[in-house]
Amino acid sequence: MRFRTLTCFVSSMAFLAVFDPAELRAKAYRRFGRPAPNPAAKSLTKAGALLAAGDLRGAETQSASFTINPVWALGQLSVRFRTKFYEDFLDADFATSTPLSPADTPRVTYVVGNSFPYTNSGYSNRSHLILESAKRAGIDATALTRLGYPMVIGQPSAPDESVVGGISYRRAIPWLFPFSAEKWVNLFADAIVEEARRNGSTILHTTTGFHNALAVSKAAKTLNVPWIYEVRGELEKTWLSTPAPQGVKRSATSEQFLRWRAQETQAAKSAAAVVVLSELSRQDFIDRGVAPEKIHVIRNTADPALLDQQKPPLDPNKKELVIGTVTSVVPYEGLDVLIRSLEYLPEHVTALIVGDGSQRAELEDLTASLGLEHRVQFAGQKPKDEIIDWYRKLDVFVLPRKDLDVTRAVTPLKAANAMLLGIPVVASDLPAIREITGDSAKYVAPATPAKLAKALSGVIEGSYDYSGSSTWAKQLTWDETSGQLRRLYSGIIHSS
């Protein structure tokens, strides 16, 4: 096993060196505890710029042009390889699922992109809560992570199985990481079939992106079982909102966005059922032609035990008041707005940012340029079993997301945790945030540091009654989710 994980790790890093050298460099920096270079600042060939903008055909054509510069030649080779990899995924077909049928004892293989203990994120947290909810409902469910994980994120070795809080995470680790999309899908599908047969699974359930659905649909066809598609982050919108290198403009009319969106839509149409996080997302998929009766809203959930750890009401006379968040440190979260809001707040108000991500170095530079190093703490990524302790350090939880397609549609779990803990929430006024917080937060216009500071001042001074927020958050706990999963997996319901 150890030798197999090593060969998978080496081959996956070799794949990444060709596919995206900048990402490999960033992984190396993070591995050694150094801030990763800003990906938006990297130098691009013309082919690379076309690819960054989502023009796949243009990038493919341009990457075939001749250059005598060896560095640029390697860059064009990387673009050509990546474009071919994308094209093969975007051209692939899904196997249509068999219908869900009534079952007294469903057994589920849940296919996920990443998991505890190697990744601690909103995604891995939701996966874990879904599995715990299924367990509470008496459903036999085990998880299988994507092909090559966790080697593909820079972990040199891992066992075949990790058990976290009573939940089993199995690994699909090939001897060699494939260098083609077709081989990736086939190897992953084979691993899913093997795991499902080991468990006697009657249902396969997978999450975004559509790449996972391609492998799961193929495996489900082999097994003759239904499969469910769970839409998490609407990744084409995430791509659109991510800053591109050297000021390259991304567009919702670009080839990559439209074809990626089309594949996500086709995955949803091909599945036996679709799980989404919000009513907003449900309506979006109905508008895209997915049958309404097979779309089920299962919101982000939180641990009801957090109610037993509630903090006392905020004391405005505290010597130091801590505002902040627990999040991925990426541009769409709007953490620059949180930092800038400190300029309008008194010195005894400080900020705590728990988490890590691609924007951390940029935010640390911003903090230094504003002379706020003594008022901003970047705590970095923390283990799952420490996260609630970090939440409890906060007097006010801030959710300053930017106004983008992805943030208007995707509901963040983090707010529910804060509300259950009795921590007041100040958030950007966006539809997805209003839905997950039940209109129980204090809302401000996105990207307005002065208005955010004014709202925070009001909360600190006691002008905002947040006593009902934990009552709302009780609806976002396992009990409701367990019942929804039980009905879904048992084939009892066919509508949201």
Side-chain angles (χ1 to χ4, degrees):
M1 174 61 188
R2 180 173 296 180
F3 186 63
R4 175 157 54 90
T5 60
L6 180 61
T7 60
C8 180
F9 169 73
V10 172
S11 56
S12 66
M13 293 301 102
F15 168 87
L16 196 56
V18 180
F19 184 82
D20 191 348
E23 177 59 23
L24 178 62
R25 185 168 64 252
K27 285 183 186 295
Y29 272 81
R30 288 192 291 267
R31 182 72 179 172
F32 291 103
R34 297 177 58 193
N38 182 359
K42 72 176 183 179
S43 177
L44 291 176
T45 62
K46 186 175 181 179
L50 289 167
L51 180 58
D55 183 356
L56 301 181
R57 292 185 177 89
E60 185 176 21
T61 300
Q62 184 63 37
S63 66
S65 62
F66 177 75
T67 176
I68 59 172
N69 185 320
V71 175
W72 281 49
L74 287 173
Q76 295 196 167
L77 176 64
S78 175
V79 169
R80 195 174 315 141
F81 177 76
R82 198 183 331 170
T83 304
K84 177 66 165 59
F85 204 79
Y86 284 161
E87 291 276 2
D88 288 348
F89 269 125
L90 292 167
D91 288 337
D93 295 320
F94 300 89
T96 301
S97 177
T98 59
L100 286 165
S101 56
D104 293 330
T105 55
R107 300 172 69 89
V108 181
T109 293
Y110 191 38
V111 179
V112 296
N114 58 55
S115 78
F116 299 139
Y118 303 105
T119 301
N120 187 359
S121 64
Y123 177 97
S124 59
N125 198 28
R126 175 176 167 91
S127 298
H128 197 75
L129 290 170
I130 287 280
L131 288 159
E132 287 183 318
S133 296
K135 186 176 180 179
R136 285 164 63 89
I139 297 164
D140 189 330
T142 58
L144 180 72
T145 50
R146 75 180 186 269
L147 191 74
Y149 180 88
M151 282 75 248
V152 292
I153 64 167
Q155 181 71 25
S157 64
D160 274 337
E161 181 179 27
S162 300
V163 179
V164 180
I167 301 298
S168 171
Y169 293 100
R170 303 276 298 176
R171 310 298 176 195
I173 303 175
W175 283 96
L176 294 173
F177 192 81
F179 274 55
S180 78
E182 182 181 11
K183 186 70 171 175
W184 188 95
V185 170
N186 290 337
L187 277 177
F188 196 14
D190 289 346
I192 296 165
V193 168
E194 181 181 348
E195 181 62 21
R197 284 176 172 162
R198 189 185 72 86
N199 293 331
S201 295
T202 58
I203 296 171
L204 302 181
H205 180 166
T206 191
T207 65
T208 356
F210 72 84
H211 319 78
N212 291 336
L214 286 167
V216 166
S217 71
K218 184 179 178 69
K221 184 176 181 179
T222 299
L223 296 162
N224 194 30
V225 299
W227 62 279
I228 296 168
Y229 190 49
E230 182 179 341
V231 179
R232 294 276 187 92
E234 302 194 26
L235 299 183
E236 74 279 9
K237 293 181 180 177
T238 302
W239 172 82
L240 191 63
S241 70
T242 304
Q246 291 188 337
V248 170
K249 301 297 182 184
R250 289 176 170 166
S251 166
T253 61
S254 66
E255 180 188 1
Q256 179 168 328
F257 181 90
L258 293 174
R259 292 179 67 188
W260 197 333
R261 186 172 176 83
Q263 283 292 71
E264 290 288 342
T265 303
Q266 195 56 45
K269 288 180 176 180
S270 302
V274 180
V275 172
V276 295
L277 276 62
S278 69
E279 291 292 344
L280 293 162
S281 185
R282 181 175 187 268
Q283 187 58 53
D284 180 43
F285 274 93
I286 291 172
D287 294 344
R288 287 154 68 174
V290 180
E293 64 271 14
K294 76 175 187 179
I295 307 175
H296 309 272
V297 178
I298 300 182
R299 291 185 176 90
N300 274 321
T301 56
D303 185 349
L306 296 182
L307 287 167
D308 298 328
Q309 302 181 52
Q310 279 208 347
K311 294 185 62 173
L314 189 152
D315 178 5
N317 297 315
K318 280 182 66 176
K319 185 176 180 181
E320 180 183 8
L321 285 162
V322 183
I323 64 173
T325 189
V326 180
T327 187
S328 297
V329 183
V330 292
Y332 64 76
E333 292 290 356
L335 300 179
D336 57 317
V337 181
L338 168 61
I339 292 168
R340 290 183 185 279
S341 73
L342 291 174
E343 294 185 287
Y344 303 91
L345 291 164
E347 281 285 322
H348 73 288
V349 179
T350 63
L352 170 63
I353 296 172
V354 182
D356 209 345
S358 61
Q359 201 190 16
R360 179 168 173 176
E362 177 187 337
L363 293 175
E364 289 175 334
D365 289 343
L366 172 64
T367 301
S369 70
L370 297 174
L372 295 172
E373 301 102 311
H374 63 296
R375 295 178 63 192
V376 181
Q377 179 186 357
F378 292 91
Q381 192 79 26
K382 297 299 176 184
K384 174 182 179 294
D385 58 1
E386 296 180 13
I387 286 297
I388 298 307
D389 290 336
W390 284 94
Y391 267 97
R392 287 177 53 80
K393 292 179 185 292
L394 299 172
D395 294 298
V396 184
F397 189 89
V398 189
L399 190 53
R401 286 188 161 186
K402 301 286 180 70
D403 186 359
L404 301 164
D405 285 345
V406 65
T407 55
R408 296 179 69 84
V410 178
T411 54
L413 170 62
K414 61 199 82 169
N417 287 336
M419 293 165 81
L420 282 174
L421 288 165
I423 302 170
V425 174
V426 177
S428 294
D429 193 357
L430 298 169
I433 293 178
R434 278 196 177 264
E435 182 172 332
I436 195 65
T437 56
D439 287 332
S440 296
K442 180 70 174 177
Y443 304 100
V444 298
T448 55
K451 290 182 180 179
L452 176 59
K454 183 177 180 181
L456 287 165
S457 294
V459 172
I460 291 169
E461 293 164 4
S463 65
Y464 162 59
D465 180 11
Y466 61 93
S467 58
S469 63
S470 59
T471 302
W472 159 258
K474 289 178 186 178
Q475 302 175 64
L476 307 174
T477 57
W478 291 337
D479 291 338
E480 174 63 20
T481 302
S482 295
Q484 289 176 294
L485 289 172
R486 181 73 197 177
R487 294 190 294 273
L488 176 61
Y489 290 150
S490 299
I492 296 171
I493 58 172
H494 300 282
S495 63
S496 174

